[in-house]
Amino acid sequence: MTVRAFRGEILSVPHDPRDEPEAVRHERDALLVIEDGIVVARGTYAELAERYAALEIEHLTGLIVPGFIDAHIHYPQTDSVAAHGEQLMDWLTRHIFPAEKAFADRAHADAVADFFLDELLRNGTTSALVFPTVHEHSVDALFEAARARGMRIASGKVLMDLGPEDLRDTAASARSESEALIRRWHGRDRLSYAVTPRFAPTSSDGQLQVAGELLAAHRDVLLHTHLAENERECREVQKRFPDAADYLDVYDRFGLVSERSVFAHCIHLCDRSRTRLGETNAGVAICPSSNLFLGSGFFDFGEADRHRLKLGLGTDVGAGTSFSMLHTAGLAYQAALARGDRLDAFRALYLATAGSARLLHFADKVGALEVGQEADFVLLDAQATPLLARRTAGADIAERLFALQILGDDRAIARTYVMGRCVWRRSSAAPA
Ligand code: GUN
Ligand code: ZN
């Protein structure tokens, strides 16, 4: 058995502060004990020191938080970040579909998957719900690379039989390839499957039907797609489905709306959709970086909270411009404020950790660094830049966390741990 013990300051937010005022857990001087990758003790050092007196304890200087969980990201778009000039539909045609066609080459998929996962870890992200491409082997490439790193990752082949030439499947291949991938990967090590129709415009009715049938046949896989992101997209969906009550209803008619669903964006929702998302307990992945980059709009936190929606946070790289969940949390604050809502730093941390874990149905395993959970965590460095150090000098935990979200990014990730093992360590020393 491998036992590791760390002493340091620990912060986690296991529950949404919207629903539970006592959601924040903070120990200024804590002991964290890990056996074979699982947290077996966490508490104040004063409480636990005697019981674990025999252990060798490593001191970590900085703020320990649970590993970030990115609830919506596209690994094949790693090399398409910062593509200039278009909103969603033209951006897909001009930049994204050509880049995704290159994944017909398995070796290319392997190389991008390796870089992508290393970049997640470098940014303190230990888990993610990931879009690959339409190619079956793009999922194998990602899952093999995730397995090699011991990461908890959810993904599933993209379904898009109405996609552009050379980037489409069929309803039949969507079914057979998804079935094969579920058999191959779902529940293996830390990997799990998500049925992944790209969005309504790129799937035929027949293929959406297949997605619903896959979900009915596999009761513990997720549904992952985009919903109501950009105005033109919404108009196109309305035109194709004039009988649907709204965009969400299109998915609902095919059995795609449930507590296992994760819908990215949800910018342009009507009240009926929000009510339906609330009553089905479907998840919403908020992606503020992407929404700014593509001019899609601002997520409505006020309405989402009025309907008590289940929320998580995603970067949506490559429409999102940063892998950093810290930076993305800072943008979520700014997006909320643009509509007059205030997202406090603890709630933003919840969204980036336990909130996303809840969406991905592994909140019992990661996201809060509680006893019994897998020990994925990050060491944040509030001294990472001269300005951060100056701004956080003497600051309390709320101010320090907010400054890390507004001023911090990958530079503030001193170390990343997966199952108690250090998998990323920043080489540059913090400024004196
Ligand atoms: N909607 C359909 N496909 C995509 C995609 O690749 N990125 C984003 N942001 N939205 C989408
Ligand atoms: Zn996306």
Side-chain angles (χ1 to χ4, degrees), residues 178-298:
S178 300
E179 286 283 8
L181 285 162
I182 291 169
R183 273 197 304 278
R184 197 140 75 235
W185 292 110
H186 184 61
R188 188 170 170 193
D189 295 342
R190 304 181 80 199
L191 309 172
S192 52
Y193 202 81
V195 173
T196 308
R198 182 169 211 120
F199 64 161
T202 44
S203 283
S204 66
D205 289 23
Q207 191 177 59
L208 293 170
Q209 176 84 27
V210 165
E213 288 166 8
L214 285 165
L215 288 167
H218 302 278
R219 306 302 303 180
D220 58 350
V221 302
L222 298 174
L223 179 281
H224 184 199
T225 190
H226 299 89
L227 172 64
E229 174 180 3
N230 194 278
E231 278 177 354
R232 194 175 122 200
E233 167 207 5
C234 294
R235 282 199 300 276
E236 289 187 16
V237 171
Q238 195 171 35
K239 195 158 162 226
R240 180 170 144 205
F241 298 98
D243 298 335
D246 48 49
Y247 194 159
L248 181 69
D249 191 41
V250 172
Y251 292 138
D252 220 353
R253 288 168 175 217
F254 294 101
L256 306 185
V257 183
S258 80
E259 39 103 36
R260 286 184 287 151
S261 310
V262 179
F263 296 108
H265 304 297
C266 298
I267 298 294
H268 306 284
L269 289 184
C270 61
D271 218 49
R272 197 211 70 88
S273 294
R274 287 196 189 89
T275 301
R276 183 72 183 139
L277 287 170
E279 73 192 16
T280 56
N281 202 24
V284 174
I286 306 165
C287 304
S289 169
S290 163
N291 299 151
L292 277 171
F293 183 73
L294 292 179
S296 299
F298 299 107

Side-chain angles (χ1 to χ4, degrees), residues 72-74 77 91 131 224-226 229 264-265 287 290 316-317 319:
H72 179 70
I73 184 165
H74 299 248
Q77 297 176 14
W91 172 81
F131 255 73
H224 184 199
T225 190
H226 299 89
E229 174 180 3
H265 304 297
C287 304
S290 163
D316 193 29
V317 161

